[in-house]
Amino acid sequence: MKKLNVFTTSTLASALVIASPSVFAAGFQIAAQSATGVGRAYAGDGIIADNASVMAINPAAMALFNKTSFTMGATAIKPKISVSDGNYQSSINGNSGPVSYDDAGNLAVAPNMFLIVPIDDQWAVGAGLYSNFGTASEFDSSFPGEYGGTSSIISAELALAASYRVNDQWSFGAGLDIIYGHGEFKRSLNVDANTNFRPDNAGPLFNKACNAITGSSGRDCSIPLSAKGTINAVDVDATGAGLGWNIGTTYELNDNNRWGISYHASPEIHAKGKIDGPGGITLADEIVVPLPDFAQISGYNRFEGTKFAISYTVQWTDWSKFDELATAGPDISLQKFEWKDTWSYAIGGTYYLNDKWTLRAGYMFDQGAQDAVTTIAVPDSNRNWLSAGFSYAPSKDSTIDFGFTYLLGVDVDAHEEHPGISSIDATTHTDAIITGIQYSKTF
């Protein structure tokens, strides 16, 4: 996001808007902490405690372990982002007309690792490394660069937690989350125009610069522009970290029936690095990205005398924290987003076939966070998760887990515009395939 010469003055206002949808992708939460969770749509993942990854959701659930437990694995996420029925209108080039795009989603792989160590009958501690936020999309030059481009967020979270068992029924836990994020965002403008430029919000500073460039003295000065080619409108490569915290509790009626409640408070990430606009102009060196808090209730019930259990989760996410995106020093509001808080509902089933094999499946309905404001590069919508998975135990103290989810989005009508430059109307659709594999062992 950032500075100016004669033509880049004309794209400064648009650069502020163009940058924000891609950074806006940082707010997307991903479920990538366990392959068992992928296999049951994360239903009951805050209480089942079939491996050490449970600490990522509910630190109190570490009290359910009586042996040291280690889990490591990876989750692969491949979204399919398509744009159809698009209508692009531009005042700076001759490319107005219908536009579409088949698949802008990039494959992302998120590793995870967890360790839970019971100290005695009451205390347990744990550490985990995983990712809770991330997204990636890339449009080539066939799509308008101010609405496509490249958007990528990679995050890593270090979790440190402790739990305390009060009695046979109640346990409590708390932890810290150190979140590191790295983002790359690129937008471009295809220009073939001869025009006079004056931004909608032009003030005395613009008039002063305009008069100096044109040699005029008017209060409504405009700059004559003549340019042809592709220019970089935004080039961002920023990194930052923040500290969050979490708390949780579990209630065990007996071995077959238990429930958990947890709350995660997420930090603001202050990302610093290259934040360049047209012509390499620097508008600021820091972006403030507010991440959402979230809370969930999970349950697990195994039917006595059977091999079958059900699990379920209800989660609330505080997406309304992501009301706007802004820089720091100077404080520039890049764009209002008006996101809404969301709810997700998951239910799953587990079938304990025998000592070696466990089968699972699940379904989740997940609300999208975008409301009145929509974007092309990183679309969002309500989603349906269809999940299945299994575990194989080569020994009494180890398991190999696999999970698969097909995520189905719905069509969303999107509108974006950069006043005086271009606008686009289109229908976006996002599906995804999520696979997870992991190895767990107790000592």
Side-chain angles (χ1 to χ4, degrees), residues 29 31 41-44 294-298 312-319 341-347 363-368 382-385:
Q29 188 174 18
Y42 287 92
F294 60 95
Q296 71 166 232
I297 301 175
S298 295
Y312 39 90
T313 291
V314 177
Q315 177 168 307
W316 165 83
T317 305
D318 184 19
W319 280 121
D341 293 348
T342 62
W343 291 87
S344 65
Y345 310 89
I347 186 167
Y363 167 79
M364 181 195 296
F365 173 75
D366 186 18
Q367 287 183 327
N382 293 342
R383 296 169 289 270
N384 295 280
W385 298 51

